[in-house]
Amino acid sequence: MAVLPMRDRAYLVERGIAFEEVDANEKAVIFRDYALPTGRFDQTKADILVLLPPGYPDVRPDMFFAMPWIKLSKSSQYPRAADQAHDFQGRRWQRWSRHNDQWRPGVDGIWTMLRRIDTALEVAA
């Protein structure tokens, strides 16, 4: 079942980004085998979960979640604020506590969240 607005879905399809829409107790999108920055983590790719709040896209998504859990390559430690679990659909995801107060209703969409995820992964320490 579709949970993303048409323009979000079109954006992902046009760019060949693998995703799954989840319509359950919480609506969500999972980016399958999402490429992680080269050499930064103990994994090269992970599934990335974004929970979609009621009212999305006018209401901003908050954090994101990774499966499998990923650690920094250099330290073998979890990144800052990425060491807590979140249960979703029978799996225990790694919560990346990253917040955004810059969401612009009517302007931002899933592309904004993907940029935030990419930035968080690039600067993780």
Side-chain angles (χ1 to χ4, degrees):
M1 167 154 301
V3 299
L4 289 170
M6 182 97 66
R7 67 183 188 149
D8 283 10
R9 205 171 308 111
Y11 175 89
L12 296 172
V13 169
E14 286 169 10
R15 284 157 184 79
I17 299 170
F19 69 99
E20 174 188 341
E21 297 173 83
V22 181
D23 189 2
N25 290 345
E26 295 179 279
K27 294 185 186 313
V29 61
I30 300 171
F31 300 102
R32 296 289 181 193
D33 294 326
Y34 198 78
L36 303 176
T38 305
R40 299 251 323 130
F41 300 102
D42 63 348
Q43 307 286 330
T44 58
K45 56 189 170 181
D47 288 349
I48 301 293
L49 165 69
V50 175
L51 300 176
L52 301 174
Y56 176 83
D58 291 329
V59 177
R60 67 175 167 76
D62 194 25
M63 299 178 269
F64 66 94
F65 309 85
M67 178 65 66
W69 287 48
I70 52 180
K71 292 182 177 180
L72 297 165
S73 295
K74 291 183 180 177
S75 67
S76 294
Q77 299 291 315
Y78 293 118
R80 178 191 55 77
D83 62 352
Q84 298 298 309
H86 179 81
D87 292 327
F88 183 78
Q89 291 211 312
R91 296 174 75 192
R92 185 155 272 202
W93 294 76
Q94 176 186 19
R95 183 183 76 190
W96 285 64
S97 183
R98 306 295 189 271
H99 307 286
N100 175 23
D101 296 326
Q102 306 301 315
W103 194 262
R104 301 163 298 172
V107 175
D108 289 322
I110 204 65
W111 51 87
T112 309
M113 192 64 189
L114 286 170
R115 280 194 304 270
R116 288 183 51 223
I117 291 166
D118 289 343
T119 298
L121 293 169
E122 287 289 342
V123 303

